[in-house]
Amino acid sequence: MLQPFDDTYFMKKALQEAETAFEKGEIPVGAVIVIDNRIIARGHNLTEMLNDVTAHAEMQAITAAANFLGGKYLQNCTLYVTLEPCQMCAGALYWSQISKIVYGARDPERGCIHLNTKLHPKTIIEGGILAEEASDLLKRFFIQRRNLN
């Protein structure tokens, strides 16, 4: 029988996606979607590469998960994302009917909690998992970006 993984394990996988974004010069946010203790989708920010403001990590992961499942609803799925989702991503997560969202670092300016963005009534949201690691990666990215300009 498979041993269940915990939130920290899956958030580390999301952080690996964020590192990939960092290496590509993208804002380092990463996401994975899990069902039945199995990662079915991964994503990281691709807004610069795709020249698309909607290409956030969550949006990439939602699309990949829907393709994997063969349907648009992500019931019984959990999203692990390194940064609290923005309003746009929260809206997409609402429509996907995802069961649970676990995020790392808070986004006090653009985050869905701060902005009181409505999530699906059945969606559970938890924050602060590996928040320091996620926050440090973002800080490192913006320090590096400032030093290049």
Side-chain angles (χ1 to χ4, degrees), residues 101-138:
I101 300 167
V102 179
Y103 67 87
R106 294 241 15 225
D107 186 346
E109 291 182 30
R110 293 176 201 87
C112 64
I113 294 171
H114 172 73
L115 297 171
N116 293 321
T117 305
K118 206 169 190 101
L119 292 168
H120 192 275
K122 293 183 180 177
T123 300
I124 298 165
I125 188 162
E126 294 178 11
I129 306 297
L130 299 181
E132 190 171 326
E133 291 87 337
S135 181
D136 287 348
L137 183 59
L138 285 160

Side-chain angles (χ1 to χ4, degrees), residues 31-36 38-44 56-80 92-93 96-100:
V32 298
I33 294 180
V34 175
I35 190 169
D36 295 330
R38 178 179 170 204
I39 296 174
I40 61 167
R42 299 170 184 273
H44 54 269
H56 289 194
E58 299 95 324
M59 302 297 269
Q60 303 301 309
I62 290 167
T63 300
N67 287 335
F68 178 88
L69 294 172
K72 62 185 176 181
Y73 297 117
L74 303 181
Q75 295 157 334
N76 303 314
C77 292
T78 301
L79 167 73
Y80 292 86
L93 290 161
S96 77
Q97 298 181 19
I98 197 154
S99 296
K100 187 175 179 182

